[in-house]
Amino acid sequence: MTNQQVIQQQFLDKFLDFILVKCPNCELCARVVKLDKKLSGSTHSCTCPHCGYIDVVNADSQGPLELSEAVDPFFQLPLYLETICPERRLWAYNLDHLQYIESYIEVKTCGACFDELSVEHSLPDWVIHKQKEALNEIQRLKDTVFCTFK
């Protein structure tokens, strides 16, 4: 992607159908997956291919979703794709979200105004100012996922 390309604003809810989290049993990479096609009140499962952990939750029973930093909104588990670099947290729900963040950093669209629920709004300012460090951390996060599922 080049600096001349324009990145289309994405909202965080676009990435909620498949989330990588730290398993509450073994702390390896587990998956939170949307089990139905409902727009609201959907059912999600959390499964770990490493230890066999499984849990299911219906979003109706939880009330409104709260999208908070570095935690999945359904089970409140820590995200697997998160790091501190250099002094702030960088996190992503899944590899598509991480790829979007990487593209955003490469395009350097700093200074633009974004909606409060957008991916861009959730990014710390340092990802643009410390582009090389942020991109290195993104690659490290990608590598941890690929190593986990070999």
Side-chain angles (χ1 to χ4, degrees), residues 16 19 32-34 40-46 53 55-67 71-77:
L16 295 180
I19 303 171
V32 172
V33 179
K34 185 175 182 178
S40 64
S42 58
T43 302
H44 287 74
S45 70
C46 178
Y53 175 84
D55 194 6
V56 177
V57 67
N58 185 306
D60 272 343
S61 63
Q62 294 183 309
L65 282 183
E66 290 193 30
L67 302 178
V71 177
D72 92 272
F74 306 104
F75 296 91
Q76 304 304 307
L77 295 172

Side-chain angles (χ1 to χ4, degrees), residues 4 48 51 55 60 65 76-77 85 100-101 111 125 146 150:
Q4 287 74 38
C48 179
C51 72
D55 194 6
D60 272 343
L65 282 183
Q76 304 304 307
L77 295 172
C85 162
Y100 181 81
I101 294 168
D125 292 337
F146 294 129
K150 281 187 178 178

Side-chain angles (χ1 to χ4, degrees), residues 18-138:
F18 180 84
I19 303 171
L20 299 174
V21 296
K22 290 181 184 171
C23 174
N25 278 349
C26 68
E27 295 198 1
L28 293 175
C29 189
R31 301 172 182 122
V32 172
V33 179
K34 185 175 182 178
L35 297 177
D36 52 35
K37 301 291 181 195
K38 292 192 231 175
L39 293 176
S40 64
S42 58
T43 302
H44 287 74
S45 70
C46 178
T47 58
C48 179
H50 307 287
C51 72
Y53 175 84
I54 188 164
D55 194 6
V56 177
V57 67
N58 185 306
D60 272 343
S61 63
Q62 294 183 309
L65 282 183
E66 290 193 30
L67 302 178
S68 57
E69 194 171 294
V71 177
D72 92 272
F74 306 104
F75 296 91
Q76 304 304 307
L77 295 172
L79 298 179
Y80 191 76
L81 297 173
E82 68 122 349
T83 186
I84 303 293
C85 162
E87 68 274 343
R88 295 279 315 266
R89 187 180 313 264
L90 176 66
W91 56 271
Y93 287 125
N94 55 43
L95 289 171
D96 289 341
H97 186 188
L98 196 61
Q99 181 62 50
Y100 181 81
I101 294 168
E102 182 176 38
S103 298
Y104 172 80
I105 294 168
E106 288 172 346
V107 171
K108 294 187 202 179
T109 55
C110 57
C113 292
F114 295 103
D115 188 279
E116 189 176 300
L117 295 176
S118 70
V119 173
E120 298 83 4
H121 189 269
S122 69
L123 292 174
D125 292 337
W126 65 262
V127 297
I128 297 300
H129 304 297
K130 298 195 182 262
Q131 182 183 26
K132 185 176 179 182
E133 292 93 334
L135 292 172
N136 286 340
E137 282 300 306
I138 287 172

